[in-house]
Amino acid sequence: MNVLIIGGAGYIGSHVTREFLDIGHNCTVYDNLSSGLRENLFADAKFIHGDIHDYPLLLDVLKTSSFSAVVHLAASKAAGESMTNPAKYSRNNISGTINIINAVCEANVKNIVFSSSAAVYGEPQYLPIDENHPTNPENFYGFTKLEIERLLEWYDKLKGMRFASLRYFNAAGYDVKGRIKGLEQNPANLLPIIMETAVGLRKEMQIFGNDYDTNDGTCIRDYIHVSDLACGHAKALDYIDKNNKSIKINLGSENGFSVTEVLESARKITGKPIPAKITERRSGDPAKLTASCSLAQKLLSWKAVHSDIDTLIKTSWEAYQK
Ligand code: UDP
């Protein structure tokens, strides 16, 4: 398939691009390199330096290359930051995505794979969370993802656009074959912050709250290896294309680890002290999130295979040691 991967130079995007190339898709990466990195580009994919806000360029690219699908991963993704800078998130995640959807529609590209998030669910009413769980985002980031899902449903109905909305749980780890070289700049997520502390880029990290209703008081998340996520994108695209049907689907590991458990495993695997101090809760953080992925297993024959805590930390540590 001929696929345009928007945000393909980023952390998740580069893993998705590598997976798509590996299984024989023809890939073009479209990225403004604001957080994506040149070193994440591959010689066997074309690259267009472009911005999602540049509608004429997007449309021109989509019209001239007869793509069968767009994978859209260009977004801001720090839940904490979204609560203090909503303008950035509405601009990048809502306006930018509306541009993409309209260009996809105008260029008659049939399929779009969208990076959604488990943040659309908000504070869980039950665990593990399946796709029928009510959506009530607790942070603005989750709200932006839910708004786009709603928009996609309308375009599916009105324009026959087929979408796969992939509700990622917590993406972590690095390519199991060590082929992704670029490290995220100014990360806000737990694992890269632990790694930056382990290599000495940070003196100390913060644990945002230890008074949650969990086994050790720190928040529990479902960490999904980015190579598993990448594989989920390929399978989801295949599904919507073959079945001519849109889907909203969870991608997670179905395991939950607390912040303290992740930190302790990282200390063990890296052999580094990784100093950490307990601070205030971060606004918009639900106490526990774990996924049910039975729908992905049923429809896509997909299951996480690299998402055990050791592989998550070891592959990250290998990337950070380089
Ligand atoms: N977290 C933390 N310290 C950090 C970054 C994150 O304690 O420096 C916690 C955060 O409060 C949450 C978990 O780690 O409970 C995962 O956060 P992350 O930002 O990685 O992903 P999110 O769950 O917000 O999508």
Side-chain angles (χ1 to χ4, degrees):
M1 235 186 255
N2 195 22
V3 186
L4 183 69
I5 303 182
I6 302 178
Y11 165 59
I12 300 175
S14 56
H15 285 85
V16 169
T17 305
R18 192 60 264 160
E19 170 73 16
F20 276 45
L21 290 167
D22 287 351
I23 61 175
H25 290 312
N26 188 11
C27 298
T28 302
V29 167
Y30 184 100
D31 202 300
N32 70 358
L33 299 178
S34 62
S35 58
L37 301 165
R38 271 192 194 276
E39 58 192 310
N40 282 345
L41 299 172
F42 301 106
D44 44 350
K46 269 187 257 156
F47 173 60
I48 294 165
H49 190 181
D51 197 285
I52 59 175
H53 300 288
D54 187 346
Y55 190 82
L57 179 61
L58 264 178
L59 188 61
D60 184 52
V61 168
L62 286 167
K63 275 191 165 165
T64 47
S65 302
S66 57
F67 290 105
S68 306
V70 164
V71 182
H72 168 35
L73 308 109
S76 302
K77 67 177 175 97
E81 184 192 38
S82 77
M83 300 295 280
T84 54
N85 191 356
K88 177 175 173 184
Y89 283 74
S90 49
R91 197 160 47 238
N92 291 345
N93 296 8
I94 300 181
S95 309
T97 303
I98 289 174
N99 252 345
I100 292 171
I101 294 171
N102 284 333
V104 163
C105 197
E106 196 176 336
N108 288 317
V109 178
K110 200 180 132 237
N111 301 305
I112 180 162
V113 178
F114 171 62
S115 303
S116 186
S117 168
V120 299
Y121 296 116
E123 187 66 42
Q125 294 179 12
Y126 58 84
L127 289 171
I129 297 176
D130 58 24
E131 291 80 357
N132 295 321
H133 187 284
T135 48
N136 186 19
E138 195 152 312
N139 53 57
F140 190 72
Y141 166 72
F143 167 80
T144 65
K145 295 293 178 181
L146 187 58
E147 286 302 282
I148 298 302
E149 286 196 354
R150 291 190 172 134
L151 211 82
L152 286 168
E153 277 166 28
W154 278 105
Y155 278 72
D156 174 291
K157 234 185 318 202
L158 302 176
K159 292 288 177 180
M161 182 187 287
R162 299 297 174 243
F163 70 86
S165 186
L166 306 180
R167 292 173 172 172
Y168 307 163
F169 281 67
N170 288 63
Y174 270 79
D175 180 40
V176 285
K177 294 185 182 154
R179 295 166 297 177
I180 309 293
K181 308 290 177 211
L183 299 176
E184 282 188 277
Q185 307 300 300
N186 307 313
N189 293 112
L190 180 64
L191 232 301
I193 284 175
I194 288 179
M195 290 296 133
E196 287 196 354
T197 315
V199 295
L201 285 171
R202 292 170 193 254
K203 272 225 250 357
E204 184 177 61
M205 59 165 291
Q206 298 175 308
I207 296 173
F208 297 137
N210 68 346
D211 56 351
Y212 286 94
D213 182 20
T214 62
N215 50 344
D216 59 28
T218 62
C219 289
I220 292 178
R221 293 289 179 272
D222 177 316
Y223 295 91
I224 167 84
H225 195 285
V226 67
S227 297
D228 284 332
L229 263 192
C231 170
H233 287 70
K235 293 198 168 201
L237 173 56
D238 199 46
Y239 178 89
I240 60 169
D241 189 54
K242 289 207 173 103
N243 296 280
N244 191 28
K245 205 173 162 191
S246 297
I247 49 173
K248 287 181 278 187
I249 212 154
N250 286 347
L251 295 179
S253 70
E254 303 192 311
N255 291 316
F257 292 101
S258 73
V259 174
T260 306
E261 284 168 335
V262 175
L263 178 59
E264 285 306 330
S265 298
R267 283 175 174 150
K268 206 165 75 205
I269 287 169
T270 63
K272 303 287 180 189
I274 316 181
K277 74 162 182 243
I278 313 283
T279 59
E280 290 296 294
R281 287 182 177 201
R282 188 177 70 178
S283 149
D285 264 346
K288 292 185 206 170
L289 287 176
T290 54
S292 159
C293 295
S294 42
L295 190 63
Q297 196 163 2
K298 185 171 132 203
L299 299 185
L300 312 181
S301 304
W302 176 91
K303 198 172 171 18
V305 294
H306 301 296
S307 299
D308 57 283
I309 192 80
D310 279 13
T311 306
L312 288 165
I313 292 171
K314 271 185 195 147
T315 54
S316 299
W317 184 228
E318 279 156 16
Y320 274 82
Q321 278 176 302
K322 287 175 196 152

